[in-house]
Amino acid sequence: MTLSRRNFVKSATAAGAVAATPFSISKAVAANKELRIYAWAGYITDEMLADFKAKTGINATFTPYGTNDELMNSLRATDGTGFDIIMPTVDRVPGYVDFDLVQPLDTSRVNWEGCLESAVKGSEVGGIVDGKRYFAPSDWGTEAIAFNTDYAKIDRNNLSYGDLWKPEHAGGVTVRGHSALVGIGLWLESMGELPYPLLDSYKNEKAMRANFDVILKTATEHKAAIAQYWSTENEAQGAFRTNGAIIGQTWDSTAFKLKQEGEPIAYAAPKEGALAWMEGFVIPKNANNVDSAYEFINWYYTPEAGAMFVESTGYNSTSKGSDALLPEATKQFFQESYTEKELKNLWWWPIQEPWYVALRNEYQDRYLSA
């Protein structure tokens, strides 16, 4: 999948050109409905819920989760019952289909005119399974290198995942267990030290295990450099605020939030490629309020809703025209974080089949307990 900020944005139209009223449920009917949203912590604000109700008349409640695994485990425990709309990453969608936890979208009910064409096209890998679309893209972002500009010593023009493990950063590194292994893998691959191409091994368990054996050895050798592991956004931010981290492999939102607070934090893509992901709306198999789920998707595909999402998260909305409504500081963060070359070099997470997730978690546990 080859997508970039430029490709996303050039697909957008001016905010005023997007249909202003894509909603179909009458407010009298909507007053008797409640939408149950299960999404990443920090993604849905009170302001967004109020605007959604004002536009549609629908009450909505928001329950947060912190990881893809938490979302998957919750749905498996309830057989796809309990929520009306969820927001997994596109690479995990085939796993939900395999476990029969989600339902195909009725694509005729989605206002695709409000979504960037490049996002709709780019989400075909993972979002369409056996010819059926399960996924309406909402946002995309990256995981790369966040660093304290006062203390971390990096060469921005030659940045690598390997820079995390330089002696001068010892005791000041924060990473997420499983994605740190991928970052180390990309670093080792760039030096010709993996037995198999990393991307290809996502399709072959034997090859992936052989790669992880090499990666785990290197990761364990550098474990003393870790100040804190993180698994959620709040933990990643806390590593820099209070636990001594000066550099880390984090989401872009981590650096965005810290910089908003006045912390001397910058964000940059390493030469191996920032890890890129896309998230979106999926309807669980046993959702009780499917009509309102479609209304929420169509509400999100308006410039105003997309801009509210970006201001809340620091990620990039797929809603057409949302970028034109963003504060200058938000636009500046993006411009400072990525060059055009880096955007063309994004490393998009491949499909993560259930066998891979189990294997990844095995090696993550071995890494964290080493």
Side-chain angles (χ1 to χ4, degrees):
M1 203 187 316
T2 304
L3 302 171
S4 72
R5 169 74 170 187
R6 183 174 65 178
N7 288 335
F8 273 110
V9 173
K10 74 180 183 180
S11 301
T13 59
V18 179
T21 56
F23 313 113
S24 58
I25 294 180
S26 72
K27 291 198 174 184
V29 173
N32 295 317
K33 295 184 177 290
E34 181 173 274
L35 177 70
R36 296 163 303 169
I37 305 166
Y38 195 32
W40 295 82
Y43 273 29
I44 308 297
T45 64
D46 290 343
E47 178 190 15
M48 294 167 71
L49 294 177
D51 189 75
F52 174 61
K53 183 175 181 179
K55 298 287 175 56
T56 66
I58 300 171
N59 289 308
T61 60
F62 164 55
T63 301
Y65 55 80
T67 68
N68 267 306
D69 289 343
E70 182 182 348
L71 170 59
M72 171 66 84
N73 293 337
S74 295
L75 256 67
R76 291 189 68 183
T78 62
D79 193 31
T81 300
F83 296 99
D84 301 308
I85 196 164
I86 59 175
M87 293 184 69
T89 53
V90 70
D91 52 89
R92 300 294 289 270
V93 172
Y96 288 87
V97 178
D98 286 346
F99 288 121
D100 191 28
L101 297 173
V102 296
Q103 58 182 277
L105 294 177
D106 179 348
T107 56
S108 69
R109 301 186 65 180
V110 177
N111 177 38
W112 299 110
E113 291 301 313
C115 183
L116 299 177
E117 290 90 343
S118 52
V120 177
K121 178 68 175 176
S123 63
E124 290 178 357
V125 177
I128 295 178
V129 181
D130 296 331
K132 298 176 181 178
R133 178 175 278 277
Y134 290 83
F135 180 92
S138 62
D139 62 285
W140 67 280
T142 65
E143 183 177 330
I145 306 297
F147 57 97
N148 186 306
T149 56
D150 291 342
Y151 297 108
K153 306 301 180 185
I154 69 164
D155 175 4
R156 175 65 190 268
N157 296 320
N158 195 38
L159 181 62
S160 167
Y161 287 110
D163 290 356
L164 292 168
W165 315 111
K166 287 183 174 179
E168 56 264 37
H169 297 147
V173 179
T174 185
V175 295
R176 182 172 58 156
H178 72 81
S179 54
L181 296 177
V182 174
I184 291 170
L186 289 170
W187 172 43
L188 294 176
E189 183 177 45
S190 72
M191 298 185 292
E193 295 182 11
L194 285 188
Y196 297 96
L198 186 59
L199 197 60
D200 291 349
S201 63
Y202 278 81
K203 302 175 183 178
N204 184 307
E205 184 171 353
K206 181 179 178 182
M208 182 60 79
R209 186 175 288 278
N211 279 339
F212 269 150
D213 284 339
V214 175
I215 292 167
L216 180 62
K217 182 176 183 296
T218 299
T220 303
E221 289 171 352
H222 292 286
K223 192 173 180 182
I226 300 295
Q228 179 198 313
Y229 291 104
W230 65 270
S231 61
T232 67
E233 178 66 84
N234 288 339
E235 290 173 357
Q237 293 175 29
F240 284 93
R241 286 196 197 99
T242 60
N243 292 330
I246 62 172
I247 190 169
Q249 185 178 318
T250 76
W251 292 321
D252 43 7
S253 59
T254 304
F256 175 75
K257 292 288 188 180
L258 291 170
K259 190 165 185 177
Q260 276 190 321
E261 296 172 7
E263 297 287 340
I265 302 296
Y267 184 80
K271 59 188 178 183
E272 296 92 351
L275 307 179
W277 44 263
M278 184 188 294
E279 294 166 336
F281 303 113
V282 174
I283 301 177
K285 178 181 69 174
N286 292 320
N288 287 327
N289 198 349
V290 173
D291 289 341
S292 293
Y294 284 107
E295 294 302 288
F296 187 80
I297 295 171
N298 291 336
W299 165 82
Y300 182 86
Y301 286 159
T302 62
E304 295 79 11
M308 281 190 282
F309 175 86
V310 176
E311 289 185 58
S312 171
T313 64
Y315 295 137
N316 308 289
S317 174
T318 61
S319 301
K320 283 183 181 177
S322 61
D323 58 310
L325 304 180
L326 297 177
E328 197 57 41
T330 306
K331 297 178 183 177
Q332 183 178 354
F333 174 80
F334 189 92
Q335 293 166 355
E336 291 175 350
S337 298
Y338 305 99
T339 66
E340 198 63 34
K341 179 181 178 181
E342 290 164 349
L343 287 172
K344 293 177 180 178
N345 191 42
L346 297 177
W347 194 87
W348 288 90
W349 283 102
I351 300 300
Q352 298 190 45
E353 302 283 0
W355 70 261
Y356 169 77
V357 176
L359 187 68
R360 179 203 78 179
N361 290 344
E362 173 194 333
Y363 277 84
Q364 174 181 247
D365 291 345
R366 291 170 61 183
Y367 175 36
L368 297 181
S369 62

